Amino acid sequence: MAMRLLVAVKRVIDYAVKVRVKPDHTGVVTDGVKHSMNPFCEISVEEAVRLKEKKHAKEVIVVSCGPQQCQETIRTALAMGADRGIHVEVTGKDYETLGPLQVSKILAALAKKEEADLILLGKQ
């Protein structure tokens, strides 16, 4: 029986970029900094595509939560072999407070709606 896979992907500051702390020490500088897919999420997408190639999965759906720029991350996953992408747009103050609990609730709702058999996540 072929499964439908849901893969969560996260947009992060590129690993090759030197991270700078904001002058007020409230976080890191993200303006004008190159972002890419979290390397651990990339491994999850690769594994999902492998499962599809082995005919263990019928569809690979990637999902990302965040601002409009997350669409780049979804497009990268689609180029890797995913079938579909879902972008849950979260902006402004909602994005600043978006934490693991909120993301897990979003993923649970999407998994139910998409009838996903397996959810693959990165390490962190």
Side-chain angles (χ1 to χ4, degrees):
M1 181 173 118
M3 301 181 290
R4 179 172 283 151
L5 307 179
L6 188 69
V7 184
V9 293
K10 184 176 181 179
R11 178 179 179 263
V12 296
I13 295 174
D14 192 87
Y15 66 90
V17 173
K18 184 176 180 181
V19 179
R20 296 185 325 251
V21 177
K22 289 181 180 178
D24 60 1
H25 299 289
T26 59
V28 296
V29 177
T30 57
D31 297 332
V33 176
K34 182 181 176 193
H35 285 73
S36 62
M37 184 187 304
N38 182 334
F40 298 109
C41 295
E42 197 170 324
I43 293 168
S44 296
V45 173
E46 289 171 355
E47 188 58 35
V49 171
R50 277 191 211 109
L51 288 170
K52 183 181 166 200
E53 289 170 351
K54 292 179 183 176
K55 307 289 187 222
H56 296 300
K58 62 181 175 184
E59 186 177 25
V60 176
I61 306 164
V62 294
V63 61
S64 188
C65 304
Q68 188 174 5
Q69 294 90 336
C70 288
Q71 291 178 10
E72 290 174 27
T73 307
I74 294 171
R75 279 193 285 277
T76 301
L78 292 171
M80 292 171 68
D83 299 302
R84 250 181 336 126
I86 299 173
H87 177 216
V88 179
E89 191 163 356
V90 182
T91 57
K93 291 207 182 265
D94 291 334
Y95 181 64
E96 292 171 12
T97 61
L98 186 67
L101 180 62
Q102 292 84 5
V103 173
S104 65
K105 288 180 179 182
I106 291 168
L107 286 175
L110 279 172
K112 189 173 184 179
K113 180 181 177 190
E114 295 292 332
E115 298 176 356
D117 299 303
L118 180 65
I119 300 174
L120 296 171
L121 307 167
K123 186 176 177 182
Q124 296 176 343

